[in-house]
């Protein structure tokens, strides 16, 4: 079994804003792109065009429809899922070979694939489904927090962030030291009441999720059919009005 460091100097992690995430999968795609050529290369794809595709992704997006009842407001929530770099990571402590480990300097949880025997105990121990088995190499893989970007002095300083963070088109992903109360990510967590995922499990995840904000809708419009009236137009606007009316049907 493998020990966790009693303390870590930093708690590097992600803050993910469920209010602004639009579920576009850009973060997952750029994660795969960067990591396939980098530290954990290659992230395999098995039968990608078959009816039963398989493969390794460090980040996956799940979309949920929330039905608030007959008179309530429905909502779509897009939920990106990757390793949360937990403080009490049982995926590390169950590992019989020391392949899974948590770094004392920054809290990142990694797998040394030269020590991994592919027993899969760590994936059973992770309640978040964040570990992915590489069937072609017979080793476990997981999010590295793009360790080969964030410390990479060949990159401009602004680019030393995880691939998922740098690519998110709506700025829903934030990276930083959650152990430093003065960091931008820590301030964001306080301001937006960031939450741990499944805190009852006792894993103390480093990553935090910002909950969706309540939608501001006019109650008078809820449930009432929207009345569409043709627009009165000048001569030159007729074609636009026609398209407008067509799209309004
Ligand atoms: S999310 Fe899972 S794989 Fe990542 S540190 Fe926590 S228990 Fe381990
Ligand atoms: S699959 Fe590899 S990393 Fe996971 S517990 Fe077994 S040896 Fe450790
Ligand atoms: S790139 Fe940003 S908006 Fe798109 S799925 Fe990822 S977190 Fe959500």
């Amino acid at each position: 079994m493998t020990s966790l460091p009693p303390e870590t100097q930093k708690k590097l992690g992600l803050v993910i804003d469920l209010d602004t995430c639009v579920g576009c999968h850009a973060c997952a795609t750029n994660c795969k792109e960067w990591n396939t050529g980098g530290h954990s290369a290659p992230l395999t794809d098995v039968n990608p065009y078959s009816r039963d595709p398989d493969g390794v992704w460090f980040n996956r997006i799940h979309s949920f429809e929330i039905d608030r009842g007959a008179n309530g407001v429905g909502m779509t929530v897009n939920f990106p899922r990757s390793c949360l770099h937990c403080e009490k990571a049982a995926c590390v402590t169950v590992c019989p070979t020391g392949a899974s480990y948590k770094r004392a300097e920054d809290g990142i949880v990694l797998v040394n694939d030269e020590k991994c025997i592919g027993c899969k105990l760590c994936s059973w121990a992770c309640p978040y489904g964040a570990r992915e088995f590489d069937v072609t190499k017979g080793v476990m893989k997981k999010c590295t927090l793009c360790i080969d970007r964030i410390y990479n002095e060949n990159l401009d300083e602004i680019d030393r962030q995880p691939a998922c963070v740098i690519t998110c088109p709506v700025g829903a992903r934030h990276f930083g030291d959650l152990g430093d109360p003065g960091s931008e990510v820590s301030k964001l967590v306080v301001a937006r009441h960031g939450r741990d995922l499944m805190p009852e499990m006792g894993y103390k995840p480093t990553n935090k999720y910002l909950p969706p904000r309540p939608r501001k809708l006019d109650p008078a419009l809820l449930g009432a059919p929207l009345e569409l009236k043709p627009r009165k137009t000048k001569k030159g606007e007729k074609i636009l009005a026609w398209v407008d009316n067509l799209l309004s049907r």
Side-chain angles (χ1 to χ4, degrees):
M1 302 296 124
T2 308
S3 304
L4 289 165
E7 288 289 328
T8 60
Q9 290 165 32
K10 289 185 177 178
K11 294 178 185 176
L12 296 185
L14 301 175
V15 175
I16 298 171
D17 189 346
L18 299 181
D19 192 60
T20 49
C21 174
V22 292
C24 68
H25 292 239
C27 54
T29 306
N30 203 34
C31 166
K32 180 108 169 171
E33 164 69 19
W34 175 262
N35 284 292
T36 281
H39 180 274
S40 301
L43 299 192
T44 51
D45 288 310
V46 181
N47 302 323
Y49 304 110
S50 73
R51 296 181 72 171
D52 192 18
D54 198 359
V56 175
W57 293 74
F58 289 167
N59 183 19
R60 293 178 185 262
I61 321 300
H62 307 273
S63 296
F64 302 93
E65 293 290 334
I66 298 176
D67 181 358
R68 296 266 169 85
N71 298 318
V73 183
M75 187 190 275
T76 303
V77 175
N78 302 295
F79 175 74
R81 175 176 61 91
S82 58
C83 174
L84 303 146
H85 299 280
C86 307
E87 286 180 48
K88 304 286 179 198
C91 62
V92 169
T93 54
V94 295
C95 180
T97 67
S100 273
Y101 63 104
K102 184 170 177 73
R103 288 161 45 113
E105 60 267 47
D106 53 20
I108 298 177
V109 174
L110 293 175
V111 178
N112 177 348
D113 65 4
E114 290 183 0
K115 288 186 177 177
C116 179
I117 55 172
C119 66
K120 301 185 187 170
L121 283 174
C122 55
S123 59
W124 284 100
C126 172
Y128 305 112
R131 291 193 164 231
E132 304 235 344
F133 191 64
D134 182 337
V135 291
T136 60
K137 289 197 164 179
V139 296
M140 196 57 70
K141 294 192 170 176
K142 63 176 288 302
C143 158
T144 65
L145 215 53
C146 286
I147 198 161
D148 52 348
R149 284 190 72 93
I150 61 177
Y151 295 116
N152 190 337
E153 294 187 356
N154 293 317
L155 296 176
D156 291 339
E157 202 163 337
I158 198 171
D159 291 329
R160 291 180 208 161
Q161 300 186 63
C164 59
V165 172
I166 210 150
T167 202
C168 177
V170 298
R173 304 177 73 92
H174 308 266
F175 164 68
D177 182 5
L178 287 140
D180 172 6
S183 68
E184 292 303 315
V185 280
S186 295
K187 289 185 205 163
L188 191 57
V189 169
V190 171
R192 293 277 310 282
H193 307 290
R195 310 239 180 102
D196 283 357
L197 184 60
M198 292 157 54
E200 67 279 9
M201 299 302 296
Y203 279 57
K204 296 186 78 177
T206 300
N207 288 9
K208 301 285 181 263
Y209 285 93
L210 306 180
R213 288 178 269 217
R215 297 291 181 258
K216 289 178 189 157
L217 289 180
D218 182 350
L221 290 177
L222 290 177
L226 197 57
E227 204 177 318
L228 298 172
K229 292 181 183 161
R231 245 180 345 131
K232 286 187 181 158
T233 58
K234 292 181 197 161
K235 209 174 177 183
E237 289 181 321
K238 274 191 175 167
I239 185 85
L240 290 177
W242 183 84
V243 174
D244 193 28
N245 282 335
L246 185 74
L247 294 175
S248 302
R249 277 179 202 164

